[in-house]
Amino acid sequence: MKGKRETLMPILRSSLPPLEHMIPYFEKIEPNRCHTNFGSLFKQFEERMANFLGILPTQISISCNGTLSLISSLLAFNIPRDRYCLMPAWTFSATPASAVLAGLKPYFLDVDRNTQTITPNRVYDFLKSGVIAEHEIGAIMPVSPFGAPIDRSSWDSFTDKTGIPVLIDAAASFDTILNTPQMSVGQTPMMVSLHATKIFGIGEGGMIVSTDEELIKRIKGISNFGFDVSRLSSYLGMNCKMSEYQAAIGHVVLDSWSLIRQQRKEVTANYIHHFNKIGLKPWLSLDWLTANCNVFIPGKAEQVRDHLLANNIEARTWWGKGCHTHPAYQNMDRVKDLSNTTYLSDGMLGVPFSIDTSKEDIEFVCSTIDEFLTQNLFFQDHPRGEKKSDNPTDFSFVKSITD
Ligand SMILES: Cc1ncc(COP(=O)(O)O)c(C=O)c1O
């Protein structure tokens, strides 16, 4: 038996570049005497971010957080109130919250086990079931689960065919949008969170990217009281603007991105390697980096979480038992069969993952899990995954997480 750790290993410790890198940007703010309202640092940050993503500044709208970016995009669709917004039950509560706050009614669908989200085919099947009429549906919100790529172009085709607008909640997918062709920027808008807990963390922030420049223009207007070119509110709007201080941090994170990415990659590779060794499948990839490490342990997430905590390791079921089980959303409409959501929620466990989580800590987490599962005869029913690969970059089996 290994000993228990003396201090708690936290699930996540956010990290920003050093203060001395920020000061030169902060020093630019005061002489301008402009601290927000699309100030010069903000404008430059938005432009730099667009360049970095290989899109035009007219194809991006940056705001003060991801939830407000979701709400302003849904408002920009101009959907009549009280229409349904279809979304996976397997998501973070900001997804249904933003639909409600934009005047829509969440309708929870089950997810596919392998993609952990809803696909156009799932929505077509739901439409065929006739439970609600197509004209009652205002929007669809697929979610990229913990940063994994989803097929954005299949949603472009869905909107072209049905006329129903789609907004992808890609909160954790900064690196995925940057590096995977499935999630390159296109017609369907995608929201990325810049929250401190995300891979491109700046404290608080959010952005919408889309090649639909008219939509982006409306989102920008909505984020500033519905002002168009004048100070007349041409349409309903609110305040989701990012301040100059937050934009300054955004610049520093952009300056440091290649180092941040490299450090994240090392931690990811270490986790893949050590989980691979004990025959478990973390929801991670070296092709799309993310800032959470979840591992799939069928039926055992909560027990393993409690065992880790007893050993001073913090672990978390990030999305609980699915949004439909949260008190705020339990009375919302949903399909009867949410068995895949339940299956995933019973097995997905977040373990400590920070930019500087050490190899030793990762090994300790994995061996503590291994010890518990072995003692509880878990591997008798769930033979260890393909251990043939000790190479941390070979992670092909993540594609079949629930096979
Ligand atoms: C799936 C999902 N959607 C939306 C959000 C909200 O983003 P923010 O925290 O920037 O408001 C989060 C944040 O963690 C998230 O995980």
Side-chain angles (χ1 to χ4, degrees):
M1 279 277 283
K2 297 179 286 76
K4 172 177 158 178
R5 279 173 60 91
E6 278 179 14
T7 52
L8 183 74
M9 190 192 305
I11 179 86
L12 186 151
R13 277 186 313 153
S14 63
S15 138
L16 287 177
L19 184 62
E20 61 264 27
H21 294 193
M22 297 186 187
I23 288 172
Y25 285 104
F26 290 160
E27 283 174 346
K28 292 185 185 179
I29 298 172
E30 227 34 58
N32 290 339
R33 302 287 294 272
C34 168
H35 300 91
T36 184
N37 285 355
F38 305 140
S40 59
L41 265 103
F42 172 79
K43 280 195 192 131
Q44 286 155 13
F45 176 48
E46 208 173 51
E47 266 176 47
R48 276 187 77 191
M49 182 60 92
N51 257 332
F52 190 67
L53 295 171
I55 57 175
L56 300 170
T58 44
Q59 298 174 335
I60 185 168
S61 171
I62 293 184
S63 84
C64 59
N65 71 56
T67 307
L68 284 168
S69 279
L70 288 176
I71 297 169
S72 48
S73 307
L74 289 172
L75 290 172
F77 285 150
N78 272 325
I79 304 162
R81 282 188 85 81
D82 285 336
R83 295 261 168 105
Y84 285 108
C85 181
L86 307 189
M87 63 184 66
W90 182 232
T91 183
F92 181 58
S93 63
T95 318
S98 55
V100 175
L101 293 167
L104 302 173
K105 295 189 291 191
Y107 196 111
F108 295 120
L109 300 183
D110 204 11
V111 292
D112 288 352
R113 284 190 178 190
N114 286 333
T115 61
Q116 296 204 32
T117 192
I118 54 172
T119 54
N121 282 342
R122 209 162 252 283
V123 175
Y124 285 129
D125 285 348
F126 176 71
L127 292 177
K128 263 191 240 144
S129 75
V131 177
I132 51 176
E134 197 168 322
H135 70 264
E136 293 181 88
I137 299 172
I140 319 278
M141 270 172 99
V143 178
S144 147
F146 307 107
I150 64 174
D151 184 3
R152 195 256 317 133
S153 67
S154 70
W155 289 108
D156 297 354
S157 315
F158 175 90
T159 300
D160 291 345
K161 210 162 151 184
T162 62
I164 301 173
V166 176
L167 167 63
I168 298 178
D169 181 343
S173 308
F174 180 81
D175 192 67
T176 319
I177 286 177
L178 201 58
N179 289 309
T180 67
Q182 302 97 299
M183 281 193 79
S184 59
V185 178
Q187 174 191 312
T188 304
M190 298 186 283
M191 183 287 285
V192 177
S193 166
L194 309 180
H195 188 263
T197 54
K198 299 292 184 283
I199 190 159
F200 195 100
I202 67 171
E204 292 278 4
M207 63 188 197
I208 299 284
V209 286
S210 167
T211 52
D212 182 343
E213 297 182 12
E214 271 307 306
L215 181 79
I216 293 290
K217 196 171 158 202
R218 275 202 303 282
I219 295 170
K220 288 185 187 200
I222 287 168
S223 72
N224 190 27
F225 307 106
F227 291 165
D228 213 333
V229 273
S230 72
R231 280 184 58 78
L232 278 182
S233 292
S234 310
Y235 36 84
L236 179 73
M238 50 185 177
N239 180 6
C240 330
K241 296 187 298 285
M242 175 177 275
S243 79
E244 288 289 90
Y245 278 93
Q246 208 63 72
I249 299 176
H251 281 283
V252 186
V253 175
L254 263 181
D255 294 342
S256 324
W257 173 247
S258 60
L259 179 64
I260 293 172
R261 191 172 194 280
Q262 186 49 38
Q263 289 170 326
R264 285 276 177 201
K265 197 169 177 179
E266 271 167 37
V267 183
T268 303
N270 280 328
Y271 256 124
I272 291 173
H273 176 70
H274 284 286
F275 272 128
N276 198 350
K277 256 172 99 174
I278 64 166
L280 290 178
K281 301 173 180 181
W283 188 250
L284 291 174
S285 164
L286 294 176
D287 297 334
W288 47 269
L289 301 181
T290 184
N292 292 128
C293 175
N294 284 283
V295 60
F296 189 66
I297 314 172
K300 293 276 182 277
E302 288 184 348
Q303 281 176 44
V304 175
R305 178 197 60 198
D306 295 346
H307 177 75
L308 288 172
L309 197 57
N311 283 276
N312 253 340
I313 300 168
E314 194 184 6
R316 191 171 291 171
T317 50
W318 282 105
W319 289 350
K321 293 285 183 194
C323 271
H324 61 295
T325 66
H326 292 226
Y329 305 113
Q330 65 192 4
N331 295 324
M332 305 269 162
D333 292 301
R334 63 176 107 150
V335 292
K336 280 202 191 86
D337 180 5
L338 288 170
S339 52
N340 289 343
T341 299
T342 305
Y343 179 73
L344 290 167
S345 68
D346 287 345
M348 287 290 273
L349 182 66
V351 295
F353 190 57
S354 301
I355 198 162
D356 51 357
T357 304
S358 67
K359 258 189 198 154
E360 293 70 31
D361 280 353
I362 290 171
E363 200 167 357
F364 189 74
V365 171
C366 293
S367 60
T368 307
I369 293 175
D370 191 26
E371 187 181 87
F372 176 81
L373 293 178
T374 306
Q375 271 166 16
N376 287 279
L377 308 180
F378 172 84
F379 292 113
Q380 287 190 358
D381 294 334
H382 302 89
R384 292 178 193 268
E386 291 122 299
K387 282 179 71 175
K388 64 180 186 292
S389 172
D390 266 346
N391 170 4
T393 60
D394 176 0
F395 205 55
S396 45
F397 68 75
V398 77
K399 291 194 183 76
S400 56
I401 186 169
T402 57
D403 287 353

